Amino acid sequence: MQLVNKADLFRKLPSVDEFLRTSEMMALVSTEGATAVTEACRVVLARLREEIAAGRLDSAGIDLALSGMAEAVGRELRRALSYSLRPVINATGVVLHTNLGRAPLAVSALEHARDVAAGYSNLEYDLETGERGKRDVHADRLFRKFLSIQGGSVAEISTVVVNNNAAAVLLALNTLAEGGEVIVSRGELVEIGGSFRIPEVMSKSGAKLCEVGTTNRTRITDYERAINERTRLLLRVHRSNFQITGFTEQPRLDELVILARKKNLPLMEDLGSGALFDLSSVGVNQEPGVLDSLRTGVHVVTYSGDKLLGGPQAGILSGRSDLISRMRTNSLFRALRVDKLTYAALEATLLAYVKRDFDALPILRMMRLSKEEIARRAQAVAGSLSPRVDIQLLDGESILGGGAAPSAILPTSLLAISCPGLSADELASRLRYFDPPVVARVEEDRVLLDLRTVFPEQDQLIAAALNKAVKNS
Ligand SMILES: *Cc1c(COP(=O)(O)O)cnc(C)c1O
C-alpha cells in the first residue's frame, strides 16, 4: 500500500454528531432511540480509526467504508441489542448436556412460571390467614405427595430447595456437621465439573473431612473404626461422573444405614442426579433413585433439579423432617434460596410426576425414544438433504450426561455427514452459525447428528442448516 498521510484519512471521518444528523441515522434514532444509535456510531467510528492507525485503510478503502457506514451501524446495533443467551438445537445426543443448559423444561413448567412471575404471587403469603407465609411450602407439598404415593414409609419426609445441588451439599454439611467431622470414603471424594469438589465444599461448610478406606476399597469397618466423639455425619457421595472397576469394594447402603442407627448419627447421601422414576424402565441400571435411598433409610438425600428430575436448576434436600427443618432455619438458607421462577417450574415438573404424565417431561420423552424411531426421523432428514452431502446412518450411542449415570448409554441411530471439500470441523462450525445454532459431535472427520436430543419439530431445521452449510462449499 502506498504511503498515505494518516492525518488526512482521519480527517475524512465524520464526528459522531455529524453522522447522527444524516437522514439514515435520524430514521434509526426514531425507532431504536438516540442512546443506542449514538453508542453504535461510536463503536463503528472507533473501529475505523483503529483500521487507519494500523495502516489497513487507504484513501479508497476509507471511501468504501464511509459509504457502508450506515449499514455497519445498523449491524452493530442489531448485535448490541440481541440476546447473548440463545436457544440452540442439541444434536449431540447428550441428554443432560451441562454446557447446553441441562434439562429442557416441560411446557407446563414454562406456563406456570410465566403465570406466577408475570404478576404477583403468594410466594411468601398465606392465603388462608392473610399473613406472611413461607416460600418453601410450595415445593414441599408436592414432594410429600409424590414420595408418599410411592410408599407409605416416607410420609415423614420433608424437602427444601436451594439454588443447586452444590448449595444443597454445602447447606447440609454446614447444618449437620459444622465444627465436627464427616466420614467419607476415599473412593467418593469426587469433583463434579470445574469447581465442585467434596473436600473443598467440606472445608467451606466448616466441617472436617475424615477420609476412610482407599480409592478402590472401603469397608463398613473402616467407617466404624473412624467414628469418634467429634463425628457428626456419615456421608455417601454418588460417583456420578466416573466408575471404579476391578478390585473394588464399597459398603452397601443398608450397611451404612444400620451403622448410622447404631451410632446414632445421621447418614446423608449426595445423589447428584436424583432420578424420581425407575431408570431401569429406559434400560439404565445401577443409578440410585431418590426413593431407593430414602426407603433404605438414608436420613437426607441431596440432588439436582435439572438432571434426571428434568426440571429447573435447583438443589433439593429431602429427608427426615427434623433434620430438614434445621436446614430451613440455618442463616445460610437465606443466601442459597431460590426465586419464584424456580418454585413455579419445579412445582409443575413435580406435578407431572404425581400425575404420572412422564411424556410431559422432555428428557423422559427423549430417553424413552427407541433407536428405530430415531432412525426413521434420521431417514426423513436425510431425504431432504442436498446431493452434495454424503450421508450414512450409523448405529451409535446417546449419553445421559450431566453427571448422571456415567456408564449409562442408550442405543441410537446417528446421521454421519461429510461433504467433499469441507472438513468436518468447518461443517460443524457452519452449523453453529445457523439460526438457531445446531450443535453436533465431530468424530473421524465426520459430523455426527443424534436426533434423540432434537425436538421432532426441529428435524427440518437440521436439514435446512445442513443444506445451507454445504451450499457454498
Ligand atoms: C451434579 C452433581 C453435583 C452438583 O450439582 P449442581 O446441581 O450442578 O450444583 C454434586 N454432587 C454430585 C454427586 C453430582 O452428580
Side-chain angles (χ1 to χ4, degrees):
M1 191 184 286
Q2 83 187 70
L3 264 182
V4 282
N5 187 341
K6 285 183 184 168
D8 288 343
L9 296 182
F10 280 123
R11 264 196 295 279
K12 285 191 166 198
L13 296 182
S15 73
V16 173
D17 284 341
E18 264 168 345
F19 196 65
L20 281 173
R21 283 194 294 272
T22 60
S23 58
E24 285 140 309
M25 288 305 108
M26 275 161 43
L28 260 188
V29 166
S30 70
T31 57
E32 309 296 339
T35 317
V37 178
T38 309
E39 181 55 30
C41 282
R42 277 209 186 95
V43 171
V44 170
L45 279 168
R47 218 178 281 144
L48 284 179
R49 261 183 240 110
E50 249 169 57
E51 296 280 294
I52 295 171
R56 283 193 294 264
L57 278 181
D58 58 12
S59 197
I62 263 286
D63 291 341
L64 194 66
L66 286 176
S67 68
M69 209 173 120
E71 216 171 291
V73 171
R75 263 199 311 276
E76 174 56 31
L77 203 56
R78 276 194 300 279
R79 199 193 59 76
L81 299 180
S82 69
Y83 292 120
S84 160
L85 187 57
R86 301 163 60 192
V88 306
I89 295 179
N90 174 10
T92 64
V94 181
V95 179
L96 296 164
H97 199 304
T98 295
N99 305 139
L100 302 182
R102 287 197 188 153
L105 293 178
V107 171
S108 58
L110 295 171
E111 285 173 349
H112 190 37
R114 189 199 54 210
D115 291 348
V116 162
Y120 300 101
S121 66
N122 63 337
L123 181 65
E124 288 187 359
Y125 185 76
D126 185 329
L127 290 170
E128 268 173 41
T129 62
E131 280 163 17
R132 185 190 169 143
K134 288 213 165 88
R135 64 174 64 205
D136 45 303
V137 299
H138 303 295
D140 194 28
R141 190 182 69 97
L142 281 180
F143 271 108
R144 268 176 206 269
K145 194 168 187 86
F146 178 70
L147 296 174
S148 68
I149 289 172
Q150 305 299 309
S153 63
V154 288
E156 263 317 292
I157 296 293
S158 307
T159 296
V160 280
V161 180
V162 289
N163 183 49
N164 55 21
N165 188 32
V169 173
L170 177 69
L171 178 64
L173 291 177
N174 179 265
T175 308
L176 302 176
E178 189 180 20
E181 288 181 8
V182 180
I183 301 179
V184 193
S185 159
R186 288 203 165 85
E188 298 172 10
L189 296 176
V190 307
E191 169 176 320
I192 314 280
S195 53
F196 180 84
R197 292 171 150 197
I198 289 292
E200 286 167 22
V201 176
M202 189 77 73
S203 91
K204 294 273 186 214
S205 78
K208 188 160 169 276
L209 174 64
C210 173
E211 302 172 31
V212 295
T214 59
T215 307
N216 55 330
R217 299 189 67 139
T218 304
R219 301 181 183 80
I220 193 72
T221 48
D222 294 323
Y223 288 84
E224 186 150 18
R225 269 200 300 274
I227 294 175
N228 62 53
E229 69 283 0
R230 293 179 303 277
T231 308
R232 297 279 178 281
L233 179 71
L234 305 184
L235 174 64
R236 152 84 49 118
V237 182
H238 180 44
R239 293 173 187 149
S240 50
N241 56 4
F242 70 109
Q243 280 176 293
I244 298 184
T245 53
F247 187 54
T248 64
E249 185 172 344
Q250 196 187 21
R252 292 193 320 267
L253 201 55
D254 59 341
E255 294 178 276
L256 282 172
V257 168
I258 290 167
L259 178 64
R261 258 189 221 141
K262 188 168 118 193
K263 301 289 183 179
N264 202 18
L265 286 167
L267 170 64
M268 160 173 156
E269 186 176 22
D270 175 15
L271 281 169
S273 45
L276 287 187
F277 65 101
D278 181 10
L279 267 170
S280 60
S281 65
V282 290
V284 175
N285 296 309
Q286 287 167 353
E287 177 71 15
V290 172
L291 283 158
D292 300 322
S293 292
L294 291 174
R295 281 205 198 111
T296 308
V298 175
H299 299 115
V300 175
V301 292
T302 64
Y303 48 104
S304 295
D306 56 354
K307 289 185 182 171
L308 286 173
L309 199 142
Q313 179 188 304
I316 301 161
L317 299 117
S318 296
R320 221 172 65 192
S321 298
D322 58 324
L323 300 176
I324 296 296
S325 17
R326 283 171 58 197
M327 317 261 180
R328 252 186 214 124
T329 49
N330 186 331
S331 57
L332 257 185
F333 177 61
R334 179 68 167 74
L336 304 175
R337 71 184 195 181
V338 296
D339 76 335
K340 57 193 176 214
L341 291 169
T342 304
Y343 278 115
L346 190 59
E347 191 180 32
T349 305
L350 285 169
L351 194 57
Y353 281 101
V354 169
K355 296 202 272 192
R356 309 196 72 72
D357 182 11
F358 297 129
D359 275 340
L361 302 170
I363 64 154
L364 294 193
R365 278 203 308 270
M366 289 169 178
M367 282 193 279
R368 282 139 66 108
L369 283 177
S370 70
K371 184 175 103 180
E372 291 68 32
E373 235 169 309
I374 296 168
R376 254 196 312 280
R377 284 170 50 197
Q379 250 143 14
V381 169
S384 352
L385 292 183
S386 130
R388 306 170 80 102
V389 190
D390 266 354
I391 316 155
Q392 258 190 304
L393 230 58
L394 300 179
D395 282 349
E397 288 165 350
S398 316
I399 301 163
L400 285 190
S407 56
I409 43 141
L410 305 167
T412 193
S413 177
L414 299 168
L415 269 170
I417 309 277
S418 54
C419 177
L422 201 59
S423 74
D425 285 329
E426 175 59 23
L427 179 55
S429 146
R430 290 188 187 182
L431 291 176
R432 289 195 305 273
Y433 262 92
F434 193 71
D435 186 19
V438 176
V439 183
R441 281 191 255 172
V442 172
E443 262 169 45
E444 293 169 10
D445 209 36
R446 279 188 302 204
V447 168
L448 301 181
L449 301 158
D450 184 347
L451 298 186
R452 179 183 296 283
T453 48
V454 174
F455 290 81
E457 59 272 24
Q458 298 172 330
D459 284 0
Q460 282 312 309
L461 285 170
I462 297 245
L466 281 166
N467 286 336
K468 183 163 182 219
V470 302
K471 205 162 168 191
N472 307 309
S473 60

